[in-house]
Amino acid sequence: MNKSAKIPFRYGICRPSEYLRKSFATQVSADDEFDNAKPYSEIPGPTLLQGLRSFLPGGKFHNKEPIDMNTLLNKEYGNILRLPGSFGRKDVIITYDPKDFETVFRTEGLWPYRRPLLAVDYCRRKRPDAFKNSGGLINDQGEVWGRMRSAVNPAMLKPKTVKVYIPAIDDVAIDFVTKIKAIADDNHEMPSNFAVELEKWSLESIAVIALEHRLGIITNENDAESQKIIKFSSIITTTPFIFLSILKKYVDSAIDRKHNAKDTDDGDERVLEKLLKINPDYVFALAMDMLIAGIDTTSAVVANLLYHLAKNPFKQEKLRDEVMKILPTVDSKLSTTSLGSVPYMRACIKETMRLTPPIPVNMRGTGRNLVLQGYQIPKNTDVAMFGALLHLDDNHFTRSAEFIPERWLSGTDVMEGCPNNGRSDNPFAFLPFGFGSRACIGKRFAEMEIAIVLLRILREFRVEWHYGPLKYVQAFIVTPTNDLKFKMIPLK
């Protein structure tokens, strides 16, 4: 290396010798802190037997919603605890302190580790013909993960790429609104299986991006293939294996269409086109990742947002005023410009993900020996950072139990008299899409899909809810368990 070369350093620009000296000093300091901390074995928490009993029928955690279970754990053991591993799996450290979140994220290293999904790992081993050389961004680790993430970042994170899909995603949302009109009863109420309809919308939207193809499960649901897709999509996060043949068929078809299509060079290159140029082996794995991570999450956010708007009609009307400005008629078209002019919509989405996050925890394996709240946390320890508990803590979010999108706005339309506009002064207290190089790669697409379908729904309906509070299932993705019988009252 050229001795005069300069390399980036977190505190500025320094020469290599200075960088190495500061890095060494930091590591020595961290090692000293670790050696002097309380031992890992002293971290409070239930024994393995106590933990297992707690989740069995009659146990205090049995059928508890995630937020309720963690409230009990936090009350009993404090801001950090250890859940013993079972059935060959490692312990999990749970922390409720955003300072710990920052420590874990800032030291996770070049290739962050996140505990893989066993069902996806099983699929990868059973179908190497489909996955080729990649298990996907959800399950791959180390340098293999790093190569794929670096390769697909340009295809997934550039705003220009996302904007290309606005017309197609809008078409899906328009079809969904038509479906709402068709399934409403005489009292304008949705059927008890409306959650399934939301999943169809979500899957149809994701397919437009991942496969460049309309599956037709909203408009042609009686088709035999559509019926299979609908059935299998509802269990993709737990048993994706049975979905693989259908997915591979659509991936191969999409690749064939791209190979046979004329190159228009219109500058609007899409995800599939970019991936085929980068590495064709990544196409299937990324499509699977998008389905696993995107179906239940986006449909849950839409369900929760409809619920919060129905319970807060003044907020709904405020949002509708914004909707009417960019969609003055039901036939108005969405554009990149108009979709960028919905600050209150974006605030409503954020507030929904604060109150009812579909993924309430961020998981990481520690990248080095750490000290969290005075305890030794060895390298490669799984840490669950449960941010959802902070979202409902008045010490972090003023009037935390209330739906107040204004806390996310700037300018004059804010929560007056509230420190930091009613938000936590620690940015790590709210990370709905994760943090760092392993943050959610589909964030921009998810936000676009949610915003567009809500714009279309609110342009034609006033949403009401006449039942009890939403309840949630304890699973990898937290989704409502209620019958989503919203009233969709047509606007005059």
Side-chain angles (χ1 to χ4, degrees):
M1 178 184 291
N2 187 328
K3 291 184 179 181
S4 63
K6 294 183 179 181
I7 57 178
F9 188 69
R10 68 177 297 183
Y11 301 112
I13 300 295
C14 63
R15 298 184 186 280
S17 58
E18 183 184 0
Y19 175 79
L20 293 173
R21 178 180 60 79
K22 290 185 177 182
S23 297
F24 178 74
T26 300
Q27 185 61 52
V28 169
S29 176
D31 289 343
D32 288 343
E33 183 186 20
F34 183 84
D35 291 340
N36 294 320
K38 290 179 286 187
Y40 176 84
S41 59
E42 293 184 7
I43 299 174
T47 65
L48 176 58
L49 184 58
Q50 288 172 335
L52 292 175
R53 284 177 175 173
S54 297
F55 288 97
L56 293 174
K60 56 187 173 183
F61 300 141
H62 181 64
N63 284 341
K64 280 284 190 296
E65 295 184 22
I67 191 69
D68 294 332
M69 183 188 75
N70 279 274
T71 298
L72 289 172
L73 286 169
N74 181 231
K75 184 177 181 180
E76 185 167 352
Y77 298 107
N79 274 348
I80 189 168
L81 65 133
R82 176 170 61 93
L83 291 182
S86 58
F87 306 109
R89 306 208 77 179
K90 297 192 300 182
D91 294 354
V92 174
I93 301 299
I94 301 180
T95 172
Y96 307 103
D97 190 334
K99 294 178 183 177
D100 291 348
F101 301 178
E102 180 172 10
T103 298
V104 172
F105 280 126
R106 297 290 192 196
T107 59
E108 60 185 356
L110 183 62
W111 302 313
Y113 174 86
R114 182 173 57 205
R115 181 181 286 194
L117 296 179
L118 295 180
V120 177
D121 186 58
Y122 175 79
C123 287
R124 179 184 179 182
R125 287 185 282 106
K126 288 293 184 179
R127 290 294 301 273
D129 60 311
F131 283 94
K132 303 292 177 67
N133 299 315
S134 174
L137 295 177
I138 292 178
N139 266 39
D140 270 342
Q141 309 293 341
E143 188 175 359
V144 174
W145 170 86
R147 285 198 301 268
M148 182 179 182
R149 180 74 191 220
S150 296
V152 303
N153 272 348
M156 295 292 291
L157 294 177
K158 286 187 176 180
K160 181 180 178 181
T161 303
V162 178
K163 292 171 183 176
V164 170
Y165 293 92
I166 291 175
I169 297 298
D170 193 24
D171 286 342
V172 175
I174 291 170
D175 284 347
F176 185 61
V177 167
T178 301
K179 184 65 175 293
I180 288 175
K181 296 175 183 176
I183 62 178
D185 65 16
D186 293 340
N187 197 34
H188 307 299
E189 195 168 82
M190 293 296 97
S192 58
N193 68 339
F194 187 59
V196 176
E197 301 299 334
L198 283 171
E199 289 177 359
K200 293 177 189 176
W201 157 80
S202 179
L203 177 54
E204 190 79 35
S205 299
I206 294 168
V208 167
I209 299 165
L211 306 175
E212 288 289 329
H213 183 67
R214 285 292 301 266
L215 298 177
I217 57 176
I218 296 177
T219 55
N220 301 317
E221 60 183 303
N222 293 325
D223 176 74
E225 182 86 324
S226 295
Q227 287 290 333
K228 289 182 181 179
I229 294 170
I230 294 166
K231 176 183 177 181
F232 295 156
S233 65
S234 63
I235 56 174
I236 191 171
T237 57
T238 54
T239 52
F241 182 70
I242 60 177
F243 193 73
L244 288 184
S245 296
I246 293 177
L247 178 60
K248 190 172 189 308
K249 168 189 169 183
Y250 280 103
V251 168
D252 290 344
S253 176
I255 292 173
D256 287 342
R257 287 197 307 273
K258 287 302 175 187
H259 283 320
N260 295 329
K262 294 181 179 179
D263 187 3
T264 58
D265 194 25
D266 58 5
D268 290 338
E269 198 170 47
R270 288 159 171 76
V271 170
L272 187 62
E273 293 171 321
K274 289 184 177 183
L275 289 182
L276 288 175
K277 291 179 180 179
I278 295 168
N279 189 332
D281 290 349
Y282 290 156
V283 174
F284 182 86
L286 186 63
M288 174 66 88
D289 283 347
M290 293 174 74
L291 292 169
I292 290 175
I295 297 175
D296 288 344
T297 49
T298 53
S299 61
V301 173
V302 172
N304 291 329
L305 184 43
L306 290 172
Y307 170 77
H308 292 307
L309 292 174
K311 297 291 287 182
N312 296 271
F314 292 110
K315 305 296 184 184
Q316 182 179 160
E317 289 306 315
K318 183 173 180 178
L319 179 55
R320 184 170 289 106
D321 289 341
E322 185 175 83
V323 172
M324 292 298 187
K325 290 177 182 177
I326 65 171
L327 294 175
T329 71
V330 295
D331 297 323
S332 299
K333 299 294 184 182
L334 282 175
S335 66
T336 299
T337 302
S338 61
L339 197 59
S341 303
V342 286
Y344 198 65
M345 172 66 78
R346 291 194 296 272
C348 286
I349 294 173
K350 278 189 174 182
E351 185 70 344
T352 295
M353 298 188 78
R354 180 188 70 83
L355 280 170
T356 45
I359 300 180
V361 62
N362 279 298
M363 288 281 292
R364 287 292 191 273
T366 50
R368 70 182 195 198
N369 291 343
L370 297 178
V371 174
L372 300 181
Q373 297 180 51
Y375 294 99
Q376 293 177 339
I377 310 294
K379 182 179 179 180
N380 298 326
T381 300
D382 285 338
V383 178
M385 297 165 277
F386 198 87
L389 209 62
L390 308 179
H391 301 173
L392 300 177
D393 184 345
D394 285 347
N395 292 317
H396 285 281
F397 294 91
T398 307
R399 295 159 59 189
S400 62
E402 299 179 44
F403 181 74
I404 309 176
E406 287 76 9
R407 75 175 79 242
W408 303 105
L409 297 175
S410 57
T412 58
D413 195 6
V414 297
M415 291 180 66
E416 295 182 1
C418 295
N420 202 36
N421 203 26
R423 302 194 303 267
S424 177
D425 58 4
N426 189 317
F428 286 83
F430 181 72
L431 298 171
F433 292 99
F435 179 85
S437 61
R438 199 146 193 165
C440 176
I441 198 169
K443 172 186 176 180
R444 294 185 185 275
F445 288 106
E447 290 176 327
M448 175 191 65
E449 293 168 30
I450 295 165
I452 288 176
V453 78
L454 260 295
L455 286 168
R456 287 299 177 185
I457 290 173
L458 295 178
R459 180 59 186 81
E460 299 209 37
F461 305 103
R462 185 176 77 252
V463 185
E464 295 183 358
W465 177 261
H466 298 286
Y467 300 93
L470 290 187
K471 301 293 183 181
Y472 297 89
V473 64
Q474 182 176 303
F476 170 64
I477 298 173
V478 180
T479 56
T481 58
N482 309 60
D483 292 340
L484 300 179
K485 300 171 73 172
F486 293 104
K487 285 187 75 171
M488 301 287 193
I489 303 171
L491 300 178
K492 294 181 180 179

